[in-house]
Amino acid sequence: MKLEDVFVYIILMLVSLIAGLVGIITKNKLSKALNLKGKFALFLKGMLGSMFVAYLVFEFVSYLNFDTKLSVAVGGFAAYMGTDALLKIEQLLEKLINKKLDKL
């Protein structure tokens, strides 16, 4: 692994951390917890989930042979959207599959 690749992953980590933080704050996800320990657990879970989604999207966009800068930007947007978008896509696909199975 080249130094340039390590630098790209560090930049992706920073972008996904910032985007995940903004997403958590703007969506007011921490208001569900009652105490500080619960808020920290929700915050950590949200940040790790956002970083994971950003990494998956970054690798997917890179696989499609787009520019590295664009891949990082799309990964950052995915981190902002967080796992909520993935859950919506999963529900949509589940409904689509169930409709196809009902026709059989």
Side-chain angles (χ1 to χ4, degrees):
M1 183 177 259
K2 295 184 278 186
L3 185 61
E4 180 180 327
D5 295 337
V6 173
F7 181 70
V8 168
Y9 285 114
I10 290 172
I11 294 296
L12 176 67
M13 184 178 67
L14 290 174
V15 167
S16 64
L17 275 171
I18 293 169
L21 179 65
V22 169
I24 288 172
I25 291 172
T26 58
K27 294 175 186 172
N28 203 12
K29 291 184 176 182
L30 296 179
S31 63
K32 298 174 186 174
L34 299 176
N35 57 9
L36 187 61
K37 185 178 179 182
K39 287 185 181 194
F40 180 73
L42 279 176
F43 176 75
L44 189 62
K45 182 177 152 186
M47 291 302 293
L48 290 176
S50 294
M51 289 177 68
F52 179 67
V53 169
Y55 173 73
L56 288 178
V57 171
F58 169 79
E59 288 295 334
F60 180 72
V61 174
S62 294
Y63 175 76
L64 296 175
N65 288 329
F66 285 104
D67 187 36
T68 304
K69 293 177 185 177
L70 179 65
S71 300
V72 170
V74 173
F77 179 71
Y80 172 73
M81 294 303 292
T83 55
D84 298 337
L86 284 181
L87 290 174
K88 294 293 182 188
I89 292 171
E90 178 185 352
Q91 292 170 353
L92 180 68
L93 287 174
E94 187 177 307
K95 286 180 185 177
L96 182 67
I97 290 171
N98 285 336
K99 284 182 184 178
K100 296 289 183 181
L101 288 177
D102 289 340
K103 289 181 180 180
L104 295 176

XYZ file of all heavy atoms in Angstrom:
812
model
N 0.846 -1.175 0.000
C 0.000 0.000 0.000
C 0.891 1.238 0.000
O 1.804 1.359 0.797
C -0.904 -0.029 1.234
C -1.879 1.105 1.299
S -2.983 0.999 2.724
C -4.410 0.351 1.922
N 0.577 2.138 -0.909
C 1.368 3.356 -1.032
C 0.941 4.388 0.007
O -0.146 4.312 0.579
C 1.191 3.943 -2.424
C 1.739 3.050 -3.530
C 1.620 3.733 -4.864
C 0.208 3.523 -5.368
N -0.012 4.013 -6.718
N 1.812 5.345 0.222
C 1.525 6.418 1.174
C 0.322 7.238 0.721
O -0.470 7.699 1.545
C 2.764 7.304 1.334
C 2.666 8.404 2.376
C 2.433 7.792 3.752
C 3.926 9.241 2.382
N 0.160 7.393 -0.583
C -0.977 8.138 -1.118
C -2.307 7.450 -0.752
O -3.287 8.116 -0.420
C -0.856 8.238 -2.633
C -1.991 8.995 -3.286
C -1.830 9.067 -4.795
O -0.688 9.120 -5.280
O -2.865 9.053 -5.474
N -2.335 6.131 -0.788
C -3.550 5.393 -0.419
C -3.888 5.581 1.055
O -5.055 5.733 1.418
C -3.383 3.906 -0.725
C -3.245 3.622 -2.209
O -3.699 4.453 -3.022
O -2.671 2.572 -2.552
N -2.860 5.573 1.901
C -3.071 5.784 3.334
C -3.625 7.189 3.565
O -4.553 7.386 4.371
C -1.756 5.569 4.115
C -1.917 5.953 5.570
C -1.293 4.135 3.983
N -3.094 8.166 2.842
C -3.558 9.546 2.965
C -5.030 9.662 2.560
O -5.808 10.363 3.212
C -2.682 10.464 2.111
C -3.066 11.909 2.195
C -2.850 12.636 3.351
C -3.655 12.543 1.110
C -3.208 13.968 3.428
C -4.022 13.874 1.179
C -3.789 14.587 2.344
N -5.433 8.986 1.487
C -6.820 9.027 1.022
C -7.744 8.450 2.082
O -8.817 9.004 2.366
C -6.975 8.279 -0.323
C -8.440 8.053 -0.663
C -6.290 9.040 -1.430
N -7.349 7.341 2.713
C -8.196 6.739 3.746
C -8.260 7.617 5.005
O -9.299 7.659 5.672
C -7.720 5.330 4.088
C -8.071 4.333 3.017
C -7.089 3.708 2.268
C -9.398 4.028 2.744
C -7.424 2.805 1.285
C -9.742 3.124 1.768
C -8.752 2.507 1.033
O -9.083 1.618 0.055
N -7.201 8.330 5.324
C -7.227 9.262 6.454
C -8.178 10.422 6.155
O -8.977 10.822 7.005
C -5.803 9.765 6.792
C -4.983 8.626 7.395
C -5.853 10.949 7.750
C -3.524 8.949 7.584
N -8.118 10.947 4.930
C -9.024 12.016 4.523
C -10.466 11.522 4.554
O -11.369 12.221 5.029
C -8.648 12.549 3.126
C -7.293 13.232 3.160
C -9.715 13.493 2.584
C -7.235 14.465 4.028
N -10.698 10.297 4.070
C -12.049 9.731 4.105
C -12.542 9.607 5.538
O -13.707 9.901 5.824
C -12.075 8.367 3.414
C -13.408 7.625 3.459
C -14.455 8.376 2.640
C -13.249 6.209 2.968
N -11.670 9.194 6.447
C -12.047 9.061 7.842
C -12.433 10.419 8.430
O -13.449 10.543 9.122
C -10.911 8.443 8.657
C -11.270 8.176 10.100
S -9.964 7.412 11.043
C -8.752 8.712 11.095
N -11.651 11.445 8.139
C -11.953 12.790 8.658
C -13.256 13.342 8.080
O -14.086 13.893 8.810
C -10.797 13.740 8.355
C -9.506 13.497 9.127
C -8.399 14.409 8.634
C -9.735 13.700 10.604
N -13.440 13.164 6.767
C -14.663 13.652 6.126
C -15.875 12.925 6.684
O -16.907 13.538 6.978
C -14.568 13.495 4.593
C -15.919 13.681 3.922
C -13.564 14.473 4.027
N -15.771 11.607 6.859
C -16.914 10.850 7.364
C -17.193 11.183 8.831
O -18.352 11.205 9.250
C -16.693 9.352 7.180
O -15.596 8.896 7.934
N -16.159 11.467 9.624
C -16.372 11.885 11.010
C -17.130 13.204 11.077
O -18.096 13.340 11.835
C -15.037 12.024 11.743
C -14.446 10.775 12.347
C -13.032 11.039 12.845
C -15.301 10.272 13.480
N -16.708 14.160 10.272
C -17.356 15.471 10.279
C -18.785 15.366 9.751
O -19.723 15.910 10.343
C -16.523 16.486 9.467
C -15.199 16.756 10.188
C -17.299 17.785 9.255
C -14.192 17.521 9.373
N -18.967 14.642 8.657
C -20.307 14.504 8.085
C -21.222 13.730 9.026
O -22.405 14.068 9.169
C -20.225 13.811 6.728
N -20.705 12.695 9.660
C -21.506 11.946 10.622
C -21.902 12.795 11.815
O -23.039 12.723 12.295
N -20.975 13.609 12.291
C -21.263 14.511 13.410
C -22.349 15.515 13.040
O -23.298 15.723 13.799
C -19.984 15.236 13.834
C -20.110 16.239 14.969
C -20.499 15.524 16.253
C -18.809 16.981 15.160
N -22.227 16.109 11.861
C -23.243 17.064 11.412
C -24.591 16.365 11.247
O -25.632 16.904 11.624
C -22.796 17.745 10.092
C -23.928 18.539 9.473
C -21.591 18.631 10.339
N -24.572 15.148 10.702
C -25.815 14.405 10.532
C -26.481 14.072 11.847
O -27.703 14.175 11.979
N -25.699 13.678 12.840
C -26.255 13.344 14.155
C -26.840 14.576 14.829
O -27.919 14.531 15.414
C -25.176 12.687 15.039
C -24.891 11.270 14.545
C -25.603 12.645 16.497
C -23.710 10.608 15.218
N -26.132 15.699 14.727
C -26.599 16.926 15.384
C -27.838 17.484 14.686
O -28.805 17.852 15.343
C -25.465 17.969 15.441
C -24.384 17.483 16.414
C -25.993 19.326 15.859
C -23.135 18.321 16.420
N -27.835 17.538 13.354
C -28.973 18.126 12.650
C -30.218 17.256 12.721
O -31.334 17.778 12.684
C -28.642 18.400 11.172
O -28.245 17.185 10.544
C -27.556 19.440 11.041
N -30.047 15.957 12.806
C -31.212 15.065 12.907
C -31.660 14.876 14.348
O -32.633 14.180 14.599
C -30.883 13.716 12.271
C -30.651 13.822 10.780
C -30.212 12.507 10.185
C -29.848 12.691 8.727
N -29.259 11.505 8.163
N -30.947 15.484 15.289
C -31.291 15.475 16.710
C -31.496 14.052 17.239
O -32.475 13.758 17.921
C -32.528 16.333 16.960
C -32.608 16.811 18.384
O -31.642 16.697 19.138
N -33.746 17.353 18.760
N -30.557 13.181 16.925
C -30.660 11.785 17.333
C -30.303 11.563 18.800
O -30.665 10.550 19.369
C -29.761 10.907 16.467
C -30.221 10.786 15.046
C -29.339 9.826 14.282
C -29.834 9.623 12.884
N -29.033 8.660 12.151
N -29.588 12.490 19.408
C -29.135 12.293 20.781
C -30.216 12.619 21.808
O -30.038 12.350 22.991
C -27.888 13.141 21.054
C -26.656 12.782 20.234
C -25.516 13.720 20.580
C -26.247 11.349 20.454
N -31.334 13.166 21.381
C -32.372 13.525 22.339
C -33.113 12.305 22.884
O -33.854 12.418 23.852
C -33.378 14.479 21.690
O -34.025 13.824 20.616
N -32.915 11.140 22.272
C -33.592 9.919 22.722
C -33.019 9.396 24.036
O -33.713 8.728 24.789
C -33.469 8.826 21.659
C -34.119 9.185 20.349
C -33.844 8.124 19.304
C -34.365 8.550 17.949
N -33.989 7.615 16.908
N -31.761 9.682 24.298
C -31.103 9.170 25.505
C -31.400 10.072 26.702
O -31.533 11.287 26.573
C -29.600 9.079 25.286
N -31.489 9.445 27.861
C -31.813 10.198 29.068
C -30.579 10.698 29.811
O -30.581 11.788 30.363
C -32.644 9.324 30.006
C -33.991 8.859 29.437
C -34.672 7.923 30.417
C -34.873 10.049 29.144
N -29.515 9.901 29.831
C -28.334 10.297 30.594
C -27.121 10.449 29.671
O -27.195 10.181 28.471
C -28.048 9.283 31.707
C -27.864 7.875 31.176
O -27.792 7.671 29.976
N -27.790 6.916 32.074
N -26.018 10.873 30.248
C -24.811 11.133 29.483
C -24.229 9.858 28.884
O -23.757 9.858 27.740
C -23.772 11.821 30.373
C -22.507 12.315 29.681
C -22.866 13.352 28.626
C -21.549 12.894 30.692
N -24.285 8.761 29.627
C -23.762 7.484 29.133
C -24.554 7.018 27.910
O -23.975 6.546 26.924
C -23.818 6.436 30.237
C -23.206 5.118 29.875
C -23.255 4.150 31.039
C -22.668 2.813 30.653
N -22.756 1.841 31.763
N -25.867 7.172 27.955
C -26.705 6.797 26.824
C -26.457 7.669 25.608
O -26.436 7.182 24.477
N -26.243 8.966 25.841
C -25.948 9.872 24.730
C -24.610 9.529 24.090
O -24.470 9.569 22.869
C -25.939 11.330 25.211
C -27.316 11.846 25.502
C -27.299 13.307 25.852
C -28.733 13.730 26.145
N -28.901 15.148 26.184
N -23.622 9.190 24.925
C -22.324 8.821 24.379
C -22.420 7.534 23.560
O -21.822 7.423 22.495
C -21.294 8.649 25.504
C -19.937 8.258 25.011
C -19.139 9.188 24.362
C -19.471 6.966 25.164
C -17.883 8.830 23.892
C -18.222 6.605 24.699
C -17.419 7.538 24.058
N -23.198 6.571 24.040
C -23.361 5.308 23.312
C -24.060 5.543 21.972
O -23.646 4.994 20.948
C -24.146 4.317 24.161
N -25.108 6.368 21.961
C -25.780 6.692 20.708
C -24.865 7.444 19.755
O -24.869 7.206 18.552
C -27.029 7.525 20.980
C -28.279 6.780 21.406
C -29.396 7.758 21.733
C -28.720 5.826 20.335
N -24.077 8.370 20.302
C -23.138 9.137 19.484
C -22.093 8.220 18.851
O -21.833 8.302 17.649
C -22.456 10.204 20.342
C -21.396 10.978 19.623
C -21.749 11.946 18.708
C -20.067 10.727 19.867
C -20.771 12.670 18.038
C -19.082 11.438 19.203
C -19.439 12.412 18.294
N -21.519 7.327 19.657
C -20.498 6.413 19.148
C -21.072 5.475 18.096
O -20.461 5.249 17.050
C -19.897 5.616 20.311
C -18.679 4.768 19.997
C -17.526 5.642 19.535
C -18.271 3.983 21.221
N -22.250 4.955 18.352
C -22.912 4.057 17.401
C -23.204 4.786 16.094
O -22.990 4.241 15.004
C -24.197 3.534 18.028
C -24.952 2.569 17.189
C -26.180 2.077 17.967
C -27.282 1.687 17.052
N -28.504 1.342 17.749
N -23.677 6.014 16.186
C -23.976 6.794 14.990
C -22.736 7.133 14.186
O -22.735 7.069 12.957
N -21.665 7.488 14.881
C -20.421 7.830 14.184
C -19.818 6.612 13.497
O -19.379 6.694 12.351
C -19.416 8.450 15.158
C -19.802 9.807 15.659
S -20.047 11.015 14.346
C -18.398 11.156 13.734
N -19.783 5.491 14.192
C -19.221 4.280 13.579
C -20.071 3.812 12.406
O -19.537 3.376 11.374
C -19.080 3.175 14.622
C -18.007 3.409 15.684
C -18.027 2.297 16.723
C -16.633 3.504 15.048
N -21.378 3.920 12.529
C -22.258 3.564 11.426
C -22.052 4.466 10.226
O -21.999 4.002 9.078
N -21.902 5.753 10.467
C -21.673 6.708 9.382
C -20.339 6.453 8.699
O -20.243 6.523 7.466
C -21.712 8.132 9.915
O -22.990 8.450 10.374
N -19.324 6.152 9.492
C -18.013 5.874 8.904
C -18.044 4.598 8.070
O -17.433 4.530 6.996
C -16.951 5.772 9.999
C -16.624 7.098 10.637
S -15.456 6.954 11.980
C -13.985 6.483 11.109
N -18.769 3.592 8.533
C -18.866 2.348 7.785
C -19.593 2.564 6.457
O -19.150 2.076 5.409
C -19.586 1.290 8.623
C -19.750 -0.023 7.925
C -18.650 -0.801 7.623
C -21.002 -0.465 7.560
C -18.798 -2.011 6.978
C -21.158 -1.670 6.914
C -20.060 -2.456 6.614
N -20.680 3.316 6.498
C -21.424 3.607 5.272
C -20.553 4.410 4.307
O -20.535 4.145 3.095
C -22.728 4.361 5.600
C -23.388 4.904 4.359
C -23.671 3.444 6.344
N -19.806 5.373 4.823
C -18.922 6.173 3.972
C -17.866 5.303 3.313
O -17.562 5.468 2.125
C -18.262 7.275 4.789
N -17.305 4.368 4.062
C -16.293 3.483 3.495
C -16.875 2.594 2.400
O -16.266 2.416 1.338
C -15.663 2.622 4.592
C -14.726 1.578 4.052
C -13.487 1.930 3.548
C -15.094 0.241 4.023
C -12.630 0.980 3.035
C -14.240 -0.718 3.506
C -13.016 -0.346 3.015
O -12.189 -1.289 2.499
N -18.059 2.039 2.645
C -18.692 1.183 1.633
C -18.972 1.955 0.345
O -18.676 1.475 -0.755
C -19.995 0.597 2.176
C -19.883 -0.484 3.227
C -21.270 -0.910 3.675
C -19.126 -1.688 2.689
N -19.522 3.145 0.492
C -19.838 3.954 -0.685
C -18.558 4.399 -1.382
O -18.480 4.391 -2.620
C -20.726 5.151 -0.286
C -20.889 6.131 -1.428
C -22.075 4.647 0.183
N -17.529 4.758 -0.626
C -16.245 5.144 -1.216
C -15.680 4.006 -2.057
O -15.248 4.220 -3.195
C -15.259 5.525 -0.112
C -13.850 5.694 -0.593
C -13.468 6.855 -1.239
C -12.907 4.697 -0.409
C -12.168 7.014 -1.700
C -11.612 4.844 -0.860
C -11.244 6.007 -1.510
N -15.675 2.802 -1.519
C -15.131 1.665 -2.263
C -15.964 1.357 -3.499
O -15.433 1.023 -4.554
C -15.040 0.426 -1.363
C -13.954 0.519 -0.320
C -12.549 0.561 -0.897
O -12.324 0.054 -2.018
O -11.667 1.105 -0.225
N -17.290 1.479 -3.379
C -18.160 1.223 -4.523
C -17.918 2.231 -5.636
O -17.809 1.861 -6.806
C -19.625 1.242 -4.085
C -20.582 0.982 -5.205
C -20.702 -0.282 -5.745
C -21.357 2.006 -5.720
C -21.583 -0.529 -6.796
C -22.235 1.778 -6.762
C -22.349 0.506 -7.303
N -17.840 3.510 -5.282
C -17.614 4.551 -6.286
C -16.210 4.418 -6.879
O -16.020 4.604 -8.080
C -17.860 5.951 -5.692
C -17.485 7.063 -6.659
C -19.314 6.094 -5.282
N -15.238 4.048 -6.069
C -13.883 3.827 -6.586
C -13.848 2.639 -7.543
O -13.127 2.652 -8.538
C -12.902 3.570 -5.442
O -12.757 4.710 -4.659
N -14.638 1.611 -7.246
C -14.717 0.435 -8.107
C -15.270 0.797 -9.482
O -14.888 0.201 -10.492
C -15.591 -0.636 -7.448
C -15.825 -1.844 -8.303
C -14.820 -2.796 -8.474
C -17.033 -2.042 -8.954
C -15.018 -3.908 -9.256
C -17.245 -3.153 -9.740
C -16.240 -4.084 -9.895
O -16.440 -5.187 -10.681
N -16.127 1.789 -9.527
C -16.695 2.231 -10.801
C -15.746 3.149 -11.569
O -16.140 3.735 -12.572
C -18.024 2.952 -10.549
C -19.135 2.091 -9.950
C -20.360 2.943 -9.644
C -19.490 0.956 -10.887
N -14.516 3.279 -11.096
C -13.436 4.033 -11.747
C -13.698 5.530 -11.819
O -13.352 6.193 -12.796
C -13.132 3.487 -13.147
C -12.437 2.164 -13.102
O -11.694 1.879 -12.174
N -12.682 1.338 -14.102
N -14.318 6.078 -10.777
C -14.437 7.525 -10.675
C -13.204 8.074 -9.976
O -12.419 7.342 -9.375
C -15.703 7.916 -9.914
C -16.959 7.744 -10.719
C -17.800 6.675 -10.477
C -17.281 8.642 -11.718
C -18.951 6.503 -11.218
C -18.434 8.480 -12.463
C -19.272 7.409 -12.213
N -13.048 9.381 -10.037
C -11.907 10.054 -9.423
C -11.936 9.865 -7.901
O -12.995 9.728 -7.297
C -11.969 11.541 -9.777
C -10.740 12.294 -9.330
O -9.633 11.726 -9.385
O -10.891 13.470 -8.934
N -10.765 9.859 -7.288
C -10.662 9.653 -5.841
C -11.354 10.776 -5.077
O -12.021 10.530 -4.071
C -9.185 9.571 -5.425
O -8.557 8.535 -6.185
C -9.043 9.274 -3.957
N -11.218 12.012 -5.563
C -11.862 13.137 -4.886
C -13.376 12.994 -4.908
O -14.050 13.266 -3.908
C -11.451 14.454 -5.552
C -9.993 14.793 -5.383
C -9.638 16.054 -6.124
C -8.163 16.331 -6.053
N -7.792 17.526 -6.822
N -13.917 12.561 -6.034
C -15.355 12.348 -6.125
C -15.787 11.204 -5.215
O -16.843 11.280 -4.566
C -15.767 12.056 -7.569
C -17.251 11.780 -7.798
C -18.075 13.025 -7.483
C -17.493 11.315 -9.210
N -14.979 10.173 -5.140
C -15.302 9.036 -4.267
C -15.356 9.463 -2.803
O -16.242 9.039 -2.058
C -14.265 7.925 -4.449
O -14.244 7.467 -5.767
N -14.419 10.297 -2.378
C -14.408 10.797 -1.001
C -15.626 11.687 -0.757
O -16.273 11.603 0.291
C -13.095 11.546 -0.688
C -13.174 12.268 0.644
C -11.927 10.591 -0.699
N -15.960 12.532 -1.740
C -17.115 13.422 -1.587
C -18.418 12.631 -1.476
O -19.263 12.924 -0.620
C -17.187 14.390 -2.763
N -18.590 11.630 -2.312
C -19.806 10.816 -2.261
C -19.838 10.017 -0.958
O -20.894 9.854 -0.343
C -19.897 9.901 -3.498
C -21.054 8.930 -3.383
C -20.037 10.732 -4.761
N -18.676 9.547 -0.512
C -18.603 8.858 0.776
C -18.982 9.775 1.934
O -19.664 9.363 2.863
N -18.553 11.025 1.871
C -18.920 11.999 2.904
C -20.413 12.283 2.909
O -21.028 12.404 3.965
N -21.013 12.372 1.720
C -22.464 12.569 1.645
C -23.202 11.365 2.223
O -24.198 11.522 2.929
C -22.898 12.802 0.199
C -24.380 12.979 0.056
C -24.988 14.132 0.512
C -25.149 11.989 -0.523
C -26.358 14.299 0.390
C -26.512 12.145 -0.647
C -27.124 13.303 -0.198
N -22.687 10.176 1.939
C -23.302 8.964 2.493
C -23.169 8.941 4.013
O -24.077 8.490 4.707
C -22.661 7.725 1.877
N -22.056 9.433 4.532
C -21.887 9.502 5.989
C -22.878 10.480 6.587
O -23.419 10.243 7.667
C -20.462 9.918 6.338
N -23.151 11.581 5.891
C -24.147 12.536 6.375
C -25.531 11.906 6.393
O -26.298 12.071 7.344
C -24.152 13.794 5.504
C -25.287 14.720 5.828
C -25.281 15.468 6.996
C -26.379 14.827 4.975
C -26.329 16.305 7.312
C -27.433 15.667 5.291
C -27.409 16.404 6.452
O -28.453 17.216 6.755
N -25.856 11.197 5.340
C -27.161 10.530 5.273
C -27.245 9.413 6.304
O -28.306 9.150 6.849
C -27.414 9.970 3.873
C -27.561 11.033 2.813
S -28.868 12.208 3.141
C -30.289 11.173 2.958
N -26.121 8.772 6.561
C -26.050 7.752 7.596
C -26.749 6.463 7.231
O -27.044 6.193 6.073
N -27.000 5.683 8.232
C -27.602 4.387 8.001
C -29.101 4.490 7.762
O -29.718 3.513 7.351
C -27.342 3.470 9.209
O -27.810 4.120 10.384
C -25.882 3.155 9.347
N -29.684 5.666 7.984
C -31.108 5.846 7.720
C -31.423 5.581 6.248
O -32.430 4.949 5.927
C -31.559 7.252 8.094
C -31.390 7.549 9.563
O -31.346 6.594 10.346
O -31.316 8.737 9.920
N -30.570 6.081 5.372
C -30.794 5.882 3.940
C -30.681 4.405 3.573
O -31.450 3.903 2.745
C -29.797 6.706 3.135
N -29.738 3.710 4.176
C -29.601 2.278 3.886
C -30.819 1.503 4.355
O -31.260 0.565 3.687
C -28.345 1.720 4.562
C -27.028 2.062 3.917
C -25.886 1.425 4.688
C -26.978 1.613 2.488
N -31.380 1.886 5.498
C -32.588 1.209 5.980
C -33.768 1.454 5.050
O -34.566 0.546 4.805
C -32.913 1.673 7.398
C -31.951 1.211 8.487
C -32.310 1.851 9.813
C -31.966 -0.296 8.599
N -33.893 2.652 4.521
C -34.968 2.953 3.587
C -34.810 2.143 2.301
O -35.792 1.618 1.764
C -35.009 4.447 3.256
C -35.370 5.320 4.411
C -36.803 5.090 4.828
C -37.154 6.034 5.960
N -38.447 5.763 6.532
N -33.577 2.033 1.807
C -33.322 1.239 0.600
C -33.627 -0.231 0.861
O -34.220 -0.913 0.020
C -31.869 1.441 0.120
C -31.678 2.863 -0.389
C -31.505 0.440 -0.964
C -30.246 3.239 -0.673
N -33.246 -0.706 2.033
C -33.522 -2.099 2.391
C -35.025 -2.357 2.433
O -35.503 -3.376 1.919
C -32.905 -2.424 3.742
C -33.167 -3.832 4.216
C -32.641 -4.083 5.614
O -31.946 -3.221 6.157
O -32.951 -5.150 6.156
N -35.797 -1.451 3.024
C -37.251 -1.605 3.081
C -37.868 -1.575 1.690
O -38.784 -2.343 1.382
C -37.864 -0.522 3.958
C -37.531 -0.658 5.417
C -37.950 0.562 6.230
O -38.378 1.572 5.674
N -37.803 0.473 7.542
N -37.358 -0.700 0.829
C -37.865 -0.612 -0.537
C -37.595 -1.904 -1.303
O -38.480 -2.418 -1.995
C -37.224 0.584 -1.248
C -37.643 0.822 -2.688
C -39.107 1.256 -2.725
C -36.765 1.870 -3.318
N -36.383 -2.437 -1.179
C -36.055 -3.690 -1.850
C -36.871 -4.853 -1.307
O -37.297 -5.728 -2.066
C -34.559 -3.983 -1.710
C -33.620 -3.122 -2.533
C -32.171 -3.432 -2.192
C -33.866 -3.343 -4.012
N -37.114 -4.856 -0.008
C -37.920 -5.917 0.591
C -39.351 -5.887 0.052
O -39.926 -6.937 -0.264
C -37.924 -5.752 2.102
C -38.585 -6.881 2.848
C -38.489 -6.672 4.344
O -37.376 -6.461 4.845
O -39.550 -6.711 4.994
N -39.916 -4.691 -0.087
C -41.265 -4.572 -0.649
C -41.290 -5.038 -2.099
O -42.228 -5.717 -2.527
C -41.746 -3.124 -0.561
C -42.123 -2.676 0.815
C -42.588 -1.238 0.801
C -42.863 -0.742 2.203
N -43.263 0.694 2.204
N -40.261 -4.674 -2.861
C -40.189 -5.063 -4.256
C -40.090 -6.579 -4.394
O -40.776 -7.184 -5.225
C -38.984 -4.386 -4.920
C -38.778 -4.637 -6.404
C -39.912 -3.993 -7.193
C -37.444 -4.095 -6.849
N -39.269 -7.210 -3.578
C -39.117 -8.670 -3.626
C -40.419 -9.347 -3.220
O -40.835 -10.333 -3.829
C -37.940 -9.111 -2.740
C -36.622 -8.658 -3.373
C -37.944 -10.622 -2.525
C -35.423 -8.842 -2.476
N -41.078 -8.821 -2.190
C -42.345 -9.419 -1.749
C -43.424 -9.311 -2.842
O -44.225 -10.235 -3.007
C -42.836 -8.765 -0.469
C -42.039 -9.225 0.729
O -41.434 -10.306 0.717
N -42.010 -8.404 1.767
N -43.446 -8.206 -3.570
C -44.406 -8.069 -4.675
C -44.144 -9.102 -5.764
O -45.068 -9.695 -6.311
C -44.334 -6.663 -5.265
C -44.997 -5.614 -4.430
C -44.922 -4.259 -5.116
C -45.506 -3.167 -4.253
N -45.398 -1.856 -4.905
N -42.865 -9.327 -6.077
C -42.511 -10.314 -7.094
C -42.867 -11.720 -6.639
O -43.333 -12.541 -7.430
C -41.011 -10.230 -7.436
C -40.576 -8.946 -8.060
C -41.092 -8.841 -9.465
C -40.571 -7.564 -10.104
N -41.059 -7.409 -11.464
N -42.646 -12.008 -5.355
C -42.965 -13.339 -4.841
C -44.470 -13.565 -4.773
O -44.945 -14.689 -4.959
C -42.339 -13.529 -3.459
C -40.821 -13.695 -3.417
C -40.345 -13.789 -1.987
C -40.384 -14.898 -4.212
N -45.253 -12.533 -4.501
C -46.700 -12.660 -4.459
C -47.288 -12.963 -5.834
O -48.319 -13.626 -5.942
C -47.337 -11.399 -3.876
C -47.080 -11.254 -2.393
O -46.745 -12.264 -1.738
O -47.194 -10.112 -1.879
N -46.648 -12.484 -6.888
C -47.119 -12.742 -8.244
C -46.895 -14.190 -8.658
O -47.581 -14.685 -9.532
C -46.425 -11.808 -9.234
C -46.881 -10.377 -9.113
C -46.193 -9.510 -10.134
C -46.650 -8.065 -10.011
N -45.995 -7.203 -10.995
N -45.936 -14.851 -8.037
C -45.662 -16.253 -8.384
C -46.691 -17.094 -7.757
O -47.384 -17.820 -7.750
C -44.285 -16.665 -7.884
C -43.122 -15.957 -8.529
C -41.820 -16.394 -7.849
C -43.040 -16.268 -10.002
